[in-house]
Amino acid sequence: ETGVTQTPRHLVMGMTNKKSLKCEQHLGHNAMYWYKQSAKKPLELMFVYSLEERVENNSVPSRFSPECPNSSHLFLHLHTLQPEDSALYLCASSQRVATNEKLFFGSGTQLSVL
Amino acid sequence: GIQVEQSPPDLILQEGANSTLRCNFSDSVNNLQWFHQNPWGQLINLFYIPSGTKQNGRLSATTVATERYSLLYISSSQTTDSGVYFCAVVPGTSGSRLTFGEGTQLTVNP
């Protein structure tokens, strides 16, 4: 148990659906992150939030829309996804946004887009 | 950007064996972390080790920052050690985030 909880664990959706991924951290951290892990590829950073404010967006398509209502919760809203968006989506948190911080990850949401 | 290369890409061991995983990086770093991803996708932070040596039970890690590499040692391996081991770094010359290597897939057979 890392203190970072993601739901759902698995999600199957059609290209016209709208769904949301949820992440909650119980560590008292102030920074939260979304990563994408595709098969045979390294983890890719998608978004970074610091104290509910988005501080980084790594050229992610607009069909992915993050939301951070408070420092403990992070959402990733999905709409009109493509089959190539199928991947494991991982949430992480750290004490703060800094280059020397230790990251703690959730178990991920395995997303399949049909 | 910084390049992170991990070797070997795949490793198969018998239970009880020892192993060494390597991470080479192309630039100076101020953050290096080792993670273990179990077969269910959970990533566990094993070490935060931008330099020096640390030990935690059967696992230990050494980073030689001046030579731009880090090693993860697993002794007396167990089947529960199976999974993918990732090295991730942050370059010392920029404020960018963790860059992950492609990982080493470890399988420990009983």
Side-chain angles (χ1 to χ4, degrees):
Chain A
E1 177 58 52
T2 64
V4 181
T5 304
Q6 289 187 244
T7 55
R9 287 286 286 123
H10 302 274
L11 179 62
V12 179
M13 58 187 290
M15 290 190 285
T16 58
N17 292 158
K18 289 184 180 181
K19 297 286 184 182
S20 296
L21 310 184
K22 178 183 176 182
C23 176
E24 183 175 0
Q25 57 95 1
H26 310 275
L27 301 169
H29 289 168
N30 293 313
M32 297 187 77
Y33 311 76
W34 279 117
Y35 279 84
K36 176 183 179 182
Q37 185 179 23
S38 303
K40 306 297 184 184
K41 292 177 68 175
L43 274 74
E44 302 171 67
L45 179 63
M46 300 175 72
F47 301 103
V48 180
Y49 274 83
S50 173
L51 294 170
E52 303 103 63
E53 180 180 344
R54 190 190 313 177
V55 296
E56 191 160 332
N57 174 347
N58 278 356
S59 304
V60 179
S62 59
R63 57 185 184 270
F64 295 91
S65 175
E67 178 190 1
C68 188
N70 55 63
S71 59
S72 299
H73 294 86
L74 185 65
F75 295 90
L76 188 61
H77 304 299
L78 316 171
H79 64 97
T80 59
L81 294 191
Q82 305 299 309
E84 60 264 29
D85 296 322
S86 298
L88 180 67
Y89 289 85
L90 291 156
C91 172
S93 72
S94 63
Q95 183 61 49
R96 57 195 175 103
V97 174
T99 57
N100 60 348
E101 285 296 314
K102 186 173 176 179
L103 259 61
F104 295 82
F105 281 85
S107 300
T109 294
Q110 185 66 56
L111 174 67
S112 298
V113 181
L114 305 179
Chain B
I2 192 169
Q3 304 299 310
V4 182
E5 295 182 358
Q6 292 187 242
S7 61
D10 297 278
L11 184 59
I12 299 175
L13 301 174
Q14 286 300 121
E15 203 167 23
N18 302 328
S19 62
T20 300
L21 281 59
R22 187 177 180 100
C23 172
N24 291 332
F25 39 95
S26 60
D27 202 352
S28 60
V29 300
N30 62 15
N31 186 339
L32 188 147
Q33 299 181 37
W34 282 97
F35 295 88
H36 174 224
Q37 187 171 38
N38 67 24
W40 299 273
Q42 176 73 64
L43 267 165
I44 301 294
N45 195 308
L46 299 175
F47 293 102
Y48 170 80
I49 186 166
S51 64
T53 298
K54 290 186 177 179
Q55 180 153 8
N56 184 2
R58 297 181 296 103
L59 273 60
S60 64
T62 295
T63 297
V64 183
T66 53
E67 298 188 22
R68 299 182 182 172
Y69 73 89
S70 183
L71 302 174
L72 178 69
Y73 304 96
I74 304 174
S75 64
S76 304
S77 58
Q78 301 175 0
T79 56
T80 51
D81 295 331
S82 296
V84 184
Y85 289 81
F86 290 102
C87 168
V89 304
V90 175
T93 54
S94 75
S96 60
R97 309 302 171 196
L98 278 173
T99 297
F100 282 75
E102 296 192 0
T104 291
Q105 174 74 59
L106 175 65
T107 302
V108 181
N109 292 320

PDB file of all heavy atoms in Angstrom, chain B residues 5-21:
ATOM      1  N   GLU B   5      19.295   4.385 -20.103  1.00  0.00           N
ATOM      2  CA  GLU B   5      19.372   3.040 -20.665  1.00  0.00           C
ATOM      3  C   GLU B   5      19.523   2.019 -19.547  1.00  0.00           C
ATOM      4  O   GLU B   5      20.417   2.145 -18.712  1.00  0.00           O
ATOM      5  CB  GLU B   5      20.566   2.932 -21.613  1.00  0.00           C
ATOM      6  CG  GLU B   5      20.440   3.806 -22.843  1.00  0.00           C
ATOM      7  CD  GLU B   5      21.621   3.652 -23.788  1.00  0.00           C
ATOM      8  OE1 GLU B   5      22.558   2.892 -23.461  1.00  0.00           O
ATOM      9  OE2 GLU B   5      21.622   4.306 -24.847  1.00  0.00           O
ATOM     10  N   GLN B   6      18.656   1.027 -19.576  1.00  0.00           N
ATOM     11  CA  GLN B   6      18.700  -0.017 -18.565  1.00  0.00           C
ATOM     12  C   GLN B   6      19.112  -1.345 -19.190  1.00  0.00           C
ATOM     13  O   GLN B   6      18.731  -1.657 -20.317  1.00  0.00           O
ATOM     14  CB  GLN B   6      17.342  -0.180 -17.882  1.00  0.00           C
ATOM     15  CG  GLN B   6      16.970   1.012 -17.030  1.00  0.00           C
ATOM     16  CD  GLN B   6      15.710   0.750 -16.222  1.00  0.00           C
ATOM     17  OE1 GLN B   6      14.704   1.426 -16.374  1.00  0.00           O
ATOM     18  NE2 GLN B   6      15.781  -0.253 -15.353  1.00  0.00           N
ATOM     19  N   SER B   7      19.873  -2.112 -18.424  1.00  0.00           N
ATOM     20  CA  SER B   7      20.282  -3.427 -18.904  1.00  0.00           C
ATOM     21  C   SER B   7      20.340  -4.412 -17.734  1.00  0.00           C
ATOM     22  O   SER B   7      20.568  -4.004 -16.589  1.00  0.00           O
ATOM     23  CB  SER B   7      21.648  -3.328 -19.592  1.00  0.00           C
ATOM     24  OG  SER B   7      22.626  -2.863 -18.686  1.00  0.00           O
ATOM     25  N   PRO B   8      20.094  -5.711 -18.021  1.00  0.00           N
ATOM     26  CA  PRO B   8      19.603  -6.202 -19.308  1.00  0.00           C
ATOM     27  C   PRO B   8      18.115  -5.901 -19.465  1.00  0.00           C
ATOM     28  O   PRO B   8      17.447  -5.583 -18.487  1.00  0.00           O
ATOM     29  CB  PRO B   8      19.839  -7.717 -19.178  1.00  0.00           C
ATOM     30  CG  PRO B   8      19.645  -7.981 -17.716  1.00  0.00           C
ATOM     31  CD  PRO B   8      20.209  -6.777 -17.007  1.00  0.00           C
ATOM     32  N   PRO B   9      17.571  -6.000 -20.648  1.00  0.00           N
ATOM     33  CA  PRO B   9      16.127  -5.795 -20.820  1.00  0.00           C
ATOM     34  C   PRO B   9      15.297  -6.899 -20.197  1.00  0.00           C
ATOM     35  O   PRO B   9      14.182  -6.644 -19.723  1.00  0.00           O
ATOM     36  CB  PRO B   9      15.938  -5.757 -22.340  1.00  0.00           C
ATOM     37  CG  PRO B   9      17.149  -6.367 -22.910  1.00  0.00           C
ATOM     38  CD  PRO B   9      18.260  -6.148 -21.929  1.00  0.00           C
ATOM     39  N   ASP B  10      15.822  -8.115 -20.199  1.00  0.00           N
ATOM     40  CA  ASP B  10      15.128  -9.258 -19.619  1.00  0.00           C
ATOM     41  C   ASP B  10      16.125 -10.095 -18.822  1.00  0.00           C
ATOM     42  O   ASP B  10      17.278 -10.240 -19.226  1.00  0.00           O
ATOM     43  CB  ASP B  10      14.497 -10.140 -20.711  1.00  0.00           C
ATOM     44  CG  ASP B  10      13.440  -9.388 -21.497  1.00  0.00           C
ATOM     45  OD1 ASP B  10      12.301  -9.299 -21.011  1.00  0.00           O
ATOM     46  OD2 ASP B  10      13.773  -8.877 -22.584  1.00  0.00           O
ATOM     47  N   LEU B  11      15.637 -10.659 -17.714  1.00  0.00           N
ATOM     48  CA  LEU B  11      16.494 -11.480 -16.863  1.00  0.00           C
ATOM     49  C   LEU B  11      15.649 -12.570 -16.230  1.00  0.00           C
ATOM     50  O   LEU B  11      14.587 -12.280 -15.660  1.00  0.00           O
ATOM     51  CB  LEU B  11      17.129 -10.605 -15.782  1.00  0.00           C
ATOM     52  CG  LEU B  11      18.135 -11.230 -14.824  1.00  0.00           C
ATOM     53  CD1 LEU B  11      19.311 -11.801 -15.591  1.00  0.00           C
ATOM     54  CD2 LEU B  11      18.614 -10.184 -13.821  1.00  0.00           C
ATOM     55  N   ILE B  12      16.113 -13.810 -16.364  1.00  0.00           N
ATOM     56  CA  ILE B  12      15.415 -14.948 -15.757  1.00  0.00           C
ATOM     57  C   ILE B  12      16.359 -15.592 -14.757  1.00  0.00           C
ATOM     58  O   ILE B  12      17.506 -15.915 -15.096  1.00  0.00           O
ATOM     59  CB  ILE B  12      14.981 -15.973 -16.829  1.00  0.00           C
ATOM     60  CG1 ILE B  12      14.030 -15.312 -17.823  1.00  0.00           C
ATOM     61  CG2 ILE B  12      14.305 -17.166 -16.166  1.00  0.00           C
ATOM     62  CD1 ILE B  12      13.645 -16.205 -18.980  1.00  0.00           C
ATOM     63  N   LEU B  13      15.875 -15.781 -13.531  1.00  0.00           N
ATOM     64  CA  LEU B  13      16.683 -16.335 -12.456  1.00  0.00           C
ATOM     65  C   LEU B  13      15.971 -17.501 -11.778  1.00  0.00           C
ATOM     66  O   LEU B  13      14.737 -17.575 -11.811  1.00  0.00           O
ATOM     67  CB  LEU B  13      16.943 -15.278 -11.378  1.00  0.00           C
ATOM     68  CG  LEU B  13      17.642 -13.988 -11.758  1.00  0.00           C
ATOM     69  CD1 LEU B  13      17.654 -13.046 -10.551  1.00  0.00           C
ATOM     70  CD2 LEU B  13      19.060 -14.258 -12.224  1.00  0.00           C
ATOM     71  N   GLN B  14      16.758 -18.338 -11.144  1.00  0.00           N
ATOM     72  CA  GLN B  14      16.205 -19.325 -10.233  1.00  0.00           C
ATOM     73  C   GLN B  14      16.154 -18.693  -8.845  1.00  0.00           C
ATOM     74  O   GLN B  14      17.022 -17.880  -8.474  1.00  0.00           O
ATOM     75  CB  GLN B  14      17.065 -20.586 -10.190  1.00  0.00           C
ATOM     76  CG  GLN B  14      16.946 -21.471 -11.414  1.00  0.00           C
ATOM     77  CD  GLN B  14      15.533 -21.969 -11.641  1.00  0.00           C
ATOM     78  OE1 GLN B  14      14.920 -21.731 -12.671  1.00  0.00           O
ATOM     79  NE2 GLN B  14      14.994 -22.664 -10.642  1.00  0.00           N
ATOM     80  N   GLU B  15      15.161 -19.085  -8.102  1.00  0.00           N
ATOM     81  CA  GLU B  15      15.017 -18.586  -6.727  1.00  0.00           C
ATOM     82  C   GLU B  15      16.320 -18.804  -5.965  1.00  0.00           C
ATOM     83  O   GLU B  15      16.945 -19.865  -6.066  1.00  0.00           O
ATOM     84  CB  GLU B  15      13.868 -19.330  -6.049  1.00  0.00           C
ATOM     85  CG  GLU B  15      13.252 -18.606  -4.883  1.00  0.00           C
ATOM     86  CD  GLU B  15      11.926 -19.232  -4.466  1.00  0.00           C
ATOM     87  OE1 GLU B  15      11.707 -20.421  -4.759  1.00  0.00           O
ATOM     88  OE2 GLU B  15      11.116 -18.510  -3.867  1.00  0.00           O
ATOM     89  N   GLY B  16      16.748 -17.786  -5.239  1.00  0.00           N
ATOM     90  CA  GLY B  16      17.978 -17.883  -4.460  1.00  0.00           C
ATOM     91  C   GLY B  16      19.178 -17.250  -5.125  1.00  0.00           C
ATOM     92  O   GLY B  16      20.193 -16.988  -4.467  1.00  0.00           O
ATOM     93  N   ALA B  17      19.066 -16.979  -6.428  1.00  0.00           N
ATOM     94  CA  ALA B  17      20.203 -16.400  -7.151  1.00  0.00           C
ATOM     95  C   ALA B  17      20.306 -14.905  -6.860  1.00  0.00           C
ATOM     96  O   ALA B  17      19.345 -14.257  -6.420  1.00  0.00           O
ATOM     97  CB  ALA B  17      20.043 -16.637  -8.646  1.00  0.00           C
ATOM     98  N   ASN B  18      21.485 -14.364  -7.144  1.00  0.00           N
ATOM     99  CA  ASN B  18      21.726 -12.923  -7.010  1.00  0.00           C
ATOM    100  C   ASN B  18      21.743 -12.289  -8.403  1.00  0.00           C
ATOM    101  O   ASN B  18      22.004 -12.962  -9.407  1.00  0.00           O
ATOM    102  CB  ASN B  18      23.072 -12.661  -6.338  1.00  0.00           C
ATOM    103  CG  ASN B  18      23.172 -13.306  -4.968  1.00  0.00           C
ATOM    104  OD1 ASN B  18      22.174 -13.432  -4.257  1.00  0.00           O
ATOM    105  ND2 ASN B  18      24.371 -13.744  -4.608  1.00  0.00           N
ATOM    106  N   SER B  19      21.458 -10.997  -8.466  1.00  0.00           N
ATOM    107  CA  SER B  19      21.480 -10.320  -9.764  1.00  0.00           C
ATOM    108  C   SER B  19      21.852  -8.857  -9.597  1.00  0.00           C
ATOM    109  O   SER B  19      21.723  -8.277  -8.512  1.00  0.00           O
ATOM    110  CB  SER B  19      20.117 -10.416 -10.443  1.00  0.00           C
ATOM    111  OG  SER B  19      19.124  -9.782  -9.664  1.00  0.00           O
ATOM    112  N   THR B  20      22.324  -8.283 -10.714  1.00  0.00           N
ATOM    113  CA  THR B  20      22.675  -6.863 -10.760  1.00  0.00           C
ATOM    114  C   THR B  20      22.008  -6.237 -11.970  1.00  0.00           C
ATOM    115  O   THR B  20      22.176  -6.720 -13.095  1.00  0.00           O
ATOM    116  CB  THR B  20      24.193  -6.672 -10.868  1.00  0.00           C
ATOM    117  OG1 THR B  20      24.823  -7.267  -9.737  1.00  0.00           O
ATOM    118  CG2 THR B  20      24.530  -5.182 -10.905  1.00  0.00           C
ATOM    119  N   LEU B  21      21.261  -5.177 -11.736  1.00  0.00           N
ATOM    120  CA  LEU B  21      20.614  -4.433 -12.813  1.00  0.00           C
ATOM    121  C   LEU B  21      21.332  -3.095 -12.950  1.00  0.00           C
ATOM    122  O   LEU B  21      21.725  -2.491 -11.949  1.00  0.00           O
ATOM    123  CB  LEU B  21      19.135  -4.190 -12.477  1.00  0.00           C
ATOM    124  CG  LEU B  21      18.147  -5.340 -12.692  1.00  0.00           C
ATOM    125  CD1 LEU B  21      18.520  -6.569 -11.888  1.00  0.00           C
ATOM    126  CD2 LEU B  21      16.740  -4.889 -12.341  1.00  0.00           C
TER     127      LEU B  21
END
